[in-house]
Amino acid sequence: MQNRNCANSVSRPIRFMRVVPFFLLALAVTGCAEVAPWQRGTLAKPQMALDPYPLHSALRAHNYGAREAASGVSSSEGGGCGCY
Amino acid sequence: MAVINSGEIQGAIKSSPLAALTAAALALPGLVGAPAQAADDEFSVQYGHYQEEERDLFGVKSTYRPIEVDTVQGNGNIKITDRVKFLFNYTQDTWSGATPITTAPLAFRGNSTKSSTDGVSGATPIVNGELFFDSQLNPVQTDGSRTVTGGADNRLVHTLSAASPETRRQGDFKLGYEWDEAAANVGGGTSVEDDYESRFVNLGGRLDFNQKLTTLNGGLSYTASDTKARLDHDLLPYVDTGAYTDQITRTAEGGKIVQGHRKDWGAHVGLTQVLNKNALIEAGLGYTYSIGFQENPYKVVEVAFINDQIPAPDGAAYVGQVRALLEQRPNVRNQLSGNLGYKRYVEAFDAALHLNYRYFLDDWGINAHTFEADWGQPLGHGWTLTPRIRYYSQDAADFYVPYLISQQAYNSGRFDRNRLPKNFSSDHRLSGYGALSGGITLSKQFAKGVSLDLGYEYYTHQGGLKLGGGGEGDYADFDYWVVNGALRVNLEALAASSDHGSHAQHQHHHGAMAPAGVMFEHMLDKGKFMVGYRYMHSSQSGDMLHGANRVSDPAIAAGGCGSDPCYIRPNGMVMNMHMLDIMYAPTDWLNLMVMPQFMDMSMTMQRLAGAPMIDEGPGGAGAHIPHHVENGHETGGIGDMGVYALFKALDTGHHHLHMGLGLSIPFGDVDIQLRRNHKVDGGLIHYGMQIGSGTLDFKPSVTYTGNYDDWSWGAQLSGTKRLEDHGETGFRFGDIFQSTAWGGYNLTHWLSATVRGVYTVQGTVQKQFNQYIDKLGPMDYPMNYGGRFWDVGFGLNATVPGGDLAGNTLGVEWLQPVHTDYNGYQLDRDGTLSATWHYAF
Amino acid sequence: MKTMHRKTAAVLLALLANVSGTPARAADSGDASPNCTLNSIDGARAFDLGEFKGKVVYLDFWASWCGPCAKSFPFMNALHHELGGKGLQIVGVNLDENPEDAKTFLQQNPVDFTIAADKEEQCARKYDVKAMPSSVLIGRDGVIHHVQMGFRADEANELKAQVEKLLTETPNAEHAKP
């Protein structure tokens, strides 16, 4: 049977480069507004945590990973109260 | 040779087509671990149930149940010093059910038996046969034998096969060090299941800039995995494994094991930036390089070999000899993914909005997009509701193909492999499709650092949802739903919010604590809570006993199965129980307790010397014997839940007496089945491997404890009385009566030792299964269950005396069998290990 | 591709600029402690730090949403009971934007040392608070002796030792740097 896909109109290296702009865009945004260390009350709220339910997220990621081809790591840290 | 017989799958062992679904080919356990920056001194436990809905078989009624998975997970963070943190995680999944092993044109009838085209006798996967094509190489409709009844029919259908239950276990840890503005961690772990094992290590770090407004984090991981897949015994004659001859070893019973090794290297960086007082963004980039065996060894691809020598029936132009080949995937995979997330506080609702987009790309031709959004809405009084929505879309892999046509004859396997594509797979995970899911999490934060989170999600996978169209057809669509619940206990918050420290002293300053294997032995003062975890491991192995005496194989074969002969006997059995104890004292004289549990069991068997050698058990079940012997059986899932009320009768400080009334609610399965094979249903797995009791049971108890100085002692009488005549599958277990007495001594102020004796008596199983069961050995017969048991226990208990973790108690006990007198024929007992952790606050 | 390179360079420069850190300001060890006006937590009374000259001042900047702050309160309370009579003045400066949050926190973590509110954030800025919580140890001579960022139980003992040492010193105006 003929192969269903011949989606190779764009060569591999250039396709990889498509992903990089996302990261650069993020970097370009560094240093936005000045937020003093004591002004982080809102960011410290539990609902503002990047991952308020890590166990739930892990289970969901596990289910998606078992059924989908894309895998991804999203264990970003940061935000929150910024306490030392 | 023109005659080609449709081969029916001659039964299948518990080779799981969906085995290693979790860790194999696509998901990496090493990368999805506990986050290093979780709260301090927190323990949590989670249970999840995943349930797929039935797949579309175009009117064929499948006797297979769709896949379901029961997961239990335990997690802990401990602060070893102010800057050193240790995280550990344990996950266990048990799954069973039907999954596609391949795709074929509908005209091929892979899911029906040859004799009954409407599948009345139950769907049986067929992977070899004939298919007729028209001059354009479209499959044509037939009546099931060689008569063409219609024109081109390009519809496809999944061919399903089922799996008996299987359990996967994973343990991992992370050790981290925190500086003021940086952190580093190192971790590792392993994931083990019957046919797949994976070991991983990882390194991670975090840097904070700008007074922690900007955070950069990164990680590296390495995973090595080994596959030892036992191919479906009954598929063996019908699956071409020619491409894998160097990797296949044969077994004593004639099976084939495919071995493969794979390595994955992963790297990941992430950036989090606070935008203003109310918002932040995060971005991440990840890369994974995988090399080695990437295939799913249980998936095959149907290849129709066009044989010009075979004359086509009227209405068709070509005859294709359909054969199943193990799928072939590239040896190398490069994966890249990037994500961008945004989190914003919405003042009007005191809520948080989260948006995330992820793009994935690999060199297998798969591009995938994921869009996620969720809204965290506090509802007051510690309640939070978080609805979420997710859309996912992926392209098909370059080598994805539902089935292949090759313009050459099969020639008994001597066809030219070079004329097939180098890689091919019909695994729906590699096809083009979109998926939409919606879910909700409801969380309640109790005042003292305890929170309960409940979640539900419904997910639909549909070819039609693919971004840009062109996804796989409707036949491949399926849905699933998940419910899960997690309990989190933050010890630091609990310690800070109560004077538990002194209380803990009060609770246990007199005498030692009861041994770990005794339950409900202790009552709490008014207003107090206790959470605990209890693990029990018991095993049986060695000789078979008839009553109290060792019995030889020929005797078992003759007498162990009533009037039928026995063919096999167990040679090892292991049971693991994970229980959560949650206790609350509304008044001084009443304590309420709830005890959910999760259980898994496994058993291996052997043939009985002296058993009839013909593989013809009752109803043809003897054909299953090689499978029982070559593979063990595993079952697992949520068990029966106990709810108890304890009433204090007497408390003089030195002597304490209380009574308990409890109910066991039958959440545990009693209808677990083995796979159909050899044209015979697998039937129910024997009574001892079912997870629950199936009946509502009454559990009364009376406990006495006493103490003086460093000495303590106690006794308990307890029982289980079945309140129903039988459970949903027709039987009930025997009633149980247990009496135990113990003594303990404080070795130091934080460590005590206990010794105890136990006598237990249990009745036989009453009535019997009302559904089909293969009766091949003594464990399949109700009269063999139960008995009288004498055990001696040795235990140690430790209390954390001070510091942040004060009030935690740990106990361990080994119960050594001293005498066993079974009601019939059973395997001798090795003993039971109990380990408990409790925290009162 | 050229635009890609330029964009990358610009972005990396921006990142570096932020990493290099903020320039040093008024409140480091060895500087004279800035004076600032505070209010009592219910807003009724205003006072300034100058009132405590001659005492050792433990100035702690805290907020209700800050986890380590909650852990530091029992330590500071114990320090107040033990050394308050010997010339130690603890001032807990609350930086909550919503005073209700501070009141709830104080109900759950009651303490006996002085609590003040810094509503206009001018005290926090004068002391250039860089972390939450921050504790500034000021000697009897009004000179900042130590700035502690964050709170960890292990480091508490060291802080206590420093406080005790400061209590034994007599005020000496020559130590102050302008």
Side-chain angles (χ1 to χ4, degrees):
Chain A
M1 191 66 162
Q2 316 79 346
N3 257 354
R4 304 255 316 252
N5 282 351
C6 292
N8 283 328
S9 46
V10 182
S11 77
R12 292 273 147 83
I14 297 181
R15 283 167 84 196
F16 282 129
M17 289 303 281
R18 279 191 204 149
V19 191
V20 181
F22 291 115
F23 192 52
L24 293 179
L25 176 65
L27 282 182
V29 181
T30 53
C32 278
E34 260 310 304
V35 179
W38 60 87
Q39 293 175 324
R40 297 185 65 150
T42 306
L43 294 167
K45 286 179 186 265
Q47 61 269 37
M48 282 298 285
L50 273 173
D51 190 4
Y53 306 109
L55 279 181
H56 273 26
S57 309
L59 185 67
R60 282 184 12 251
H62 182 72
N63 292 331
Y64 300 143
R67 284 276 169 260
E68 296 169 357
S71 61
V73 188
S74 47
S75 59
S76 278
E77 303 170 21
C81 82
C83 296
Y84 272 64
Chain B
M1 272 236 301
V3 179
I4 291 146
N5 291 317
S6 278
E8 245 192 32
I9 299 297
Q10 297 296 312
I13 323 177
K14 68 165 209 24
S15 78
S16 329
L18 52 75
L21 108 130
T22 50
L26 301 162
L28 286 174
L31 286 179
V32 186
Q37 213 184 26
D40 292 336
D41 286 342
E42 186 178 81
F43 294 96
S44 47
V45 67
Q46 171 169 252
Y47 165 70
H49 181 84
Y50 167 104
Q51 177 77 58
E52 264 183 30
E53 306 283 7
E54 288 187 3
R55 299 209 181 208
D56 186 2
L57 297 180
F58 292 89
V60 171
K61 179 98 183 68
S62 176
T63 52
Y64 297 145
R65 293 202 200 121
I67 297 173
E68 57 180 279
V69 186
D70 262 349
T71 310
V72 77
Q73 184 176 358
N75 196 280
N77 287 346
I78 303 178
K79 239 179 22 177
I80 301 181
T81 74
D82 261 344
R83 293 186 183 270
V84 177
K85 221 167 359 187
F86 180 71
L87 256 107
F88 63 87
N89 184 66
Y90 172 75
T91 309
Q92 186 176 312
D93 311 305
T94 300
W95 63 79
S96 61
T99 195
I101 52 168
T102 190
T103 306
L106 186 57
F108 183 63
R109 294 185 161 74
N111 286 311
S112 332
T113 63
K114 186 167 183 246
S115 48
S116 78
T117 50
D118 64 355
V120 149
S121 61
T124 308
I126 297 175
V127 295
N128 279 7
E130 266 183 342
L131 201 53
F132 306 116
F133 295 90
D134 65 14
S135 51
Q136 313 300 317
L137 285 178
N138 296 312
V140 293
Q141 292 174 340
T142 65
D143 66 348
S145 41
R146 292 184 117 248
T147 313
V148 174
T149 54
D153 184 352
N154 277 309
R155 289 179 300 173
L156 298 167
V157 70
H158 282 314
T159 304
L160 291 185
S161 181
S164 293
E166 228 194 73
T167 300
R168 175 189 83 100
R169 291 183 181 80
Q170 173 175 327
D172 57 81
F173 76 92
K174 233 180 200 126
L175 192 62
Y177 188 86
E178 282 276 326
W179 286 273
D180 275 343
E181 289 178 329
N185 57 73
V186 65
T190 175
S191 168
V192 174
E193 54 200 283
D194 212 43
D195 54 7
Y196 186 87
E197 195 191 294
S198 156
R199 296 161 300 284
F200 46 90
V201 290
N202 46 54
L203 281 175
R206 184 191 97 227
L207 280 174
D208 296 311
F209 305 102
N210 277 343
Q211 295 169 11
K212 300 205 174 192
L213 290 177
T214 310
T215 305
L216 194 63
N217 67 299
L220 291 170
S221 77
Y222 169 71
T223 310
S225 331
D226 285 304
T227 301
K228 271 195 180 60
R230 192 180 298 271
L231 295 185
D232 193 330
H233 194 269
D234 304 294
L235 267 181
L236 284 182
Y238 311 107
V239 170
D240 184 298
T241 57
Y244 292 95
T245 30
D246 332 340
Q247 294 169 256
I248 292 185
T249 53
R250 303 209 69 126
T251 69
E253 297 266 347
K256 271 188 192 169
I257 300 185
V258 175
Q259 290 179 309
H261 183 76
R262 186 175 116 203
K263 290 188 179 18
D264 305 270
W265 280 269
H268 153 261
V269 288
L271 181 78
T272 313
Q273 172 68 44
V274 169
L275 293 177
N276 55 53
K277 286 198 302 187
N278 293 327
L280 55 113
I281 58 162
E282 58 138 332
L285 201 59
Y287 170 70
T288 308
Y289 173 76
S290 310
I291 183 166
F293 185 79
Q294 317 258 8
E295 286 80 354
N296 182 326
Y298 306 105
K299 302 267 185 198
V300 296
V301 174
E302 302 280 37
V303 182
F305 291 92
I306 303 293
N307 192 333
D308 290 330
Q309 305 301 311
I310 305 174
D314 292 333
Y318 298 107
V319 173
Q321 296 164 288
V322 179
R323 294 293 177 271
L325 268 61
L326 280 187
E327 66 170 27
Q328 292 173 204
R329 300 187 189 188
N331 208 38
V332 165
R333 187 180 187 198
N334 285 289
Q335 307 167 57
L336 200 60
S337 79
N339 84 295
L340 208 53
Y342 176 69
K343 191 131 197 181
R344 182 189 176 74
Y345 179 67
V346 179
E347 193 166 348
F349 296 97
D350 189 28
L353 172 68
H354 182 222
L355 300 170
N356 193 64
Y357 168 70
R358 170 182 298 280
Y359 177 66
F360 171 91
L361 176 65
D362 72 4
D363 59 357
W364 283 5
I366 304 176
N367 276 15
H369 305 271
T370 315
F371 297 89
E372 283 178 306
D374 63 76
W375 178 273
Q377 177 65 63
L379 300 172
H381 300 289
W383 292 93
T384 309
L385 191 68
T386 309
R388 69 173 58 81
I389 189 163
R390 178 180 184 270
Y391 171 68
Y392 173 84
S393 169
Q394 74 173 47
D395 288 342
D398 292 335
F399 55 89
Y400 169 79
V401 62
Y403 71 98
L404 285 171
I405 295 182
S406 189
Q407 301 269 24
Q408 54 173 326
Y410 181 65
N411 199 7
S412 309
R414 292 188 297 271
F415 58 91
D416 183 1
R417 276 182 206 278
N418 294 326
R419 289 177 60 181
L420 291 176
K422 184 154 172 285
N423 300 303
F424 47 85
S425 170
S426 66
D427 188 342
H428 60 277
R429 278 177 221 127
L430 299 178
S431 65
Y433 65 87
L436 191 60
S437 66
I440 198 156
T441 303
L442 180 65
S443 165
K444 166 81 174 126
Q445 168 93 36
F446 298 95
K448 294 181 184 188
V450 175
S451 61
L452 185 65
D453 313 317
L454 298 168
Y456 172 77
E457 181 177 18
Y458 194 85
Y459 176 108
T460 176
H461 162 128
Q462 292 180 20
L465 282 175
K466 178 174 176 297
L467 206 56
E472 202 62 16
D474 289 348
Y475 76 91
D477 294 347
F478 68 90
D479 295 348
Y480 76 74
W481 54 265
V482 183
V483 289
N484 59 333
L487 180 70
R488 286 187 284 173
V489 174
N490 187 320
L491 296 182
E492 222 167 26
L494 287 176
S497 68
S498 69
D499 59 328
H500 83 288
S502 52
H503 175 80
Q505 303 288 325
H506 169 77
Q507 289 272 45
H508 303 295
H509 80 275
H510 26 246
M513 291 177 309
V518 181
M519 298 193 227
F520 347 113
E521 81 307 350
H522 144 99
M523 283 189 67
L524 300 170
D525 290 337
K526 175 174 175 176
K528 296 295 172 187
F529 274 95
M530 187 179 76
V531 287
Y533 165 76
R534 181 187 301 270
Y535 170 68
M536 273 172 64
H537 172 95
S538 59
S539 69
Q540 292 170 266
S541 68
D543 298 314
M544 283 289 287
L545 300 178
H546 176 210
N549 308 309
R550 270 187 293 175
V551 64
S552 65
D553 276 8
I556 304 171
C561 298
S563 50
D564 303 324
C566 286
Y567 300 87
I568 55 180
R569 55 156 269 210
N571 72 16
M573 160 122 167
V574 171
M575 177 173 89
N576 292 304
M577 272 164 81
H578 304 271
M579 293 179 261
L580 193 62
D581 298 341
I582 305 171
M583 202 150 123
Y584 172 62
T587 76
D588 255 338
W589 52 267
L590 173 68
N591 279 184
L592 299 172
M593 185 157 132
V594 82
M595 211 156 86
Q597 67 190 29
F598 190 91
M599 236 159 75
D600 70 84
M601 297 194 261
S602 66
M603 180 182 265
T604 51
M605 320 263 202
Q606 63 188 56
R607 283 181 190 272
L608 278 171
M613 274 319 285
I614 41 162
D615 279 341
E616 277 299 317
H624 298 170
I625 294 172
H627 312 146
H628 285 308
V629 167
E630 260 204 346
N631 304 82
H633 293 305
E634 289 181 335
T635 54
I638 193 167
D640 295 341
M641 183 165 93
V643 288
Y644 304 92
L646 301 180
F647 301 90
K648 187 186 308 197
L650 174 79
D651 189 359
T652 68
H654 283 297
H655 304 280
H656 180 104
L657 180 73
H658 67 260
M659 293 176 321
L661 295 175
L663 276 180
S664 166
I665 303 175
F667 287 140
D669 284 334
V670 280
D671 59 355
I672 302 175
Q673 290 180 345
L674 295 168
R675 286 182 63 167
R676 176 185 173 82
N677 48 68
H678 284 300
K679 300 180 232 176
V680 182
D681 278 326
L684 290 168
I685 199 167
H686 61 268
Y687 307 90
M689 292 271 288
Q690 299 291 345
I691 301 292
S693 73
T695 52
L696 192 64
D697 305 327
F698 175 55
K699 303 190 93 146
S701 61
V702 159
T703 314
Y704 160 72
T705 55
N707 65 80
Y708 184 76
D709 270 355
D710 284 333
W711 296 91
S712 65
W713 57 90
Q716 184 183 79
L717 298 172
S718 63
T720 303
K721 169 101 190 80
R722 316 291 169 185
L723 293 178
E724 296 178 275
D725 188 56
H726 58 267
E728 73 182 84
T729 43
F731 76 96
R732 69 173 189 274
F733 283 109
D735 293 337
I736 304 174
F737 171 72
Q738 185 176 86
S739 57
T740 178
W742 66 88
Y745 181 70
N746 283 355
L747 299 171
T748 74
H749 71 280
W750 55 270
L751 185 68
S752 62
T754 57
V755 162
R756 81 177 165 121
V758 193
Y759 169 67
T760 314
V761 62
Q762 175 167 22
T764 60
V765 165
Q766 298 297 310
K767 309 188 113 115
Q768 56 180 339
F769 276 131
N770 57 14
Q771 290 175 27
Y772 182 72
I773 172 171
D774 263 351
K775 294 192 190 161
L776 296 172
M779 61 280 170
D780 297 314
Y781 293 83
M783 73 224 184
N784 286 317
Y785 283 81
R788 283 146 297 286
F789 313 102
W790 287 259
D791 300 82
V792 149
F794 303 97
L796 281 175
N797 291 319
T799 320
V800 178
D804 256 352
L805 295 171
N808 282 283
T809 59
L810 295 160
V812 74
E813 188 191 34
W814 172 256
L815 257 191
Q816 175 61 42
V818 163
H819 186 75
T820 304
D821 180 14
Y822 285 124
N823 287 331
Y825 295 75
Q826 284 191 55
L827 191 58
D828 199 6
R829 304 183 295 146
D830 290 335
T832 303
L833 179 72
S834 298
T836 60
W837 162 72
H838 284 106
Y839 184 67
F841 56 94
Chain C
M1 291 306 270
K2 233 165 90 173
T3 26
M4 204 73 109
H5 287 146
R6 251 191 279 157
K7 199 169 33 153
T8 317
V11 151
L12 285 172
L13 272 173
L15 182 58
L16 277 171
N18 287 314
V19 169
S20 57
T22 49
R25 287 213 254 144
D28 278 341
S29 274
D31 294 342
S33 57
N35 201 354
C36 55
T37 312
L38 298 164
N39 294 82
S40 60
I41 196 69
D42 50 21
R45 190 169 78 88
F47 57 95
D48 63 56
L49 287 180
E51 286 178 29
F52 306 118
K53 190 131 183 158
K55 285 188 163 185
V56 170
V57 179
Y58 183 126
L59 195 63
D60 182 76
F61 293 92
W62 65 276
S64 62
W65 42 262
C66 151
C69 302
K71 287 187 234 171
S72 70
F73 266 41
F75 162 72
M76 290 194 293
N77 209 24
L79 212 59
H80 171 75
H81 287 146
E82 206 185 309
L83 302 170
K86 297 187 190 151
L88 174 65
Q89 175 68 42
I90 303 184
V91 183
V93 181
N94 173 252
L95 297 172
D96 269 292
E97 296 188 334
N98 182 353
E100 282 306 310
D101 294 335
K103 291 206 177 82
T104 317
F105 181 92
L106 288 168
Q107 275 165 9
Q108 291 165 350
N109 302 278
V111 289
D112 300 316
F113 54 83
T114 309
I115 299 283
D118 182 17
K119 281 205 299 238
E120 276 89 53
E121 300 172 4
Q122 37 99 16
C123 207
R125 290 193 196 281
K126 279 195 184 166
Y127 276 86
D128 187 31
V129 168
K130 292 200 187 72
M132 289 302 288
S134 277
S135 311
V136 183
L137 278 186
I138 304 170
R140 294 184 190 267
D141 50 10
V143 171
I144 295 175
H145 183 84
H146 177 70
V147 177
Q148 174 85 4
M149 295 203 295
F151 179 79
R152 287 171 205 269
D154 291 356
E155 290 156 9
N157 289 329
E158 230 186 82
L159 263 181
K160 184 168 173 201
Q162 288 194 15
V163 168
E164 283 170 340
K165 183 163 166 294
L166 284 177
L167 283 171
T168 61
E169 286 174 3
T170 50
N172 187 341
E174 286 163 33
H175 284 165
K177 265 204 293 221

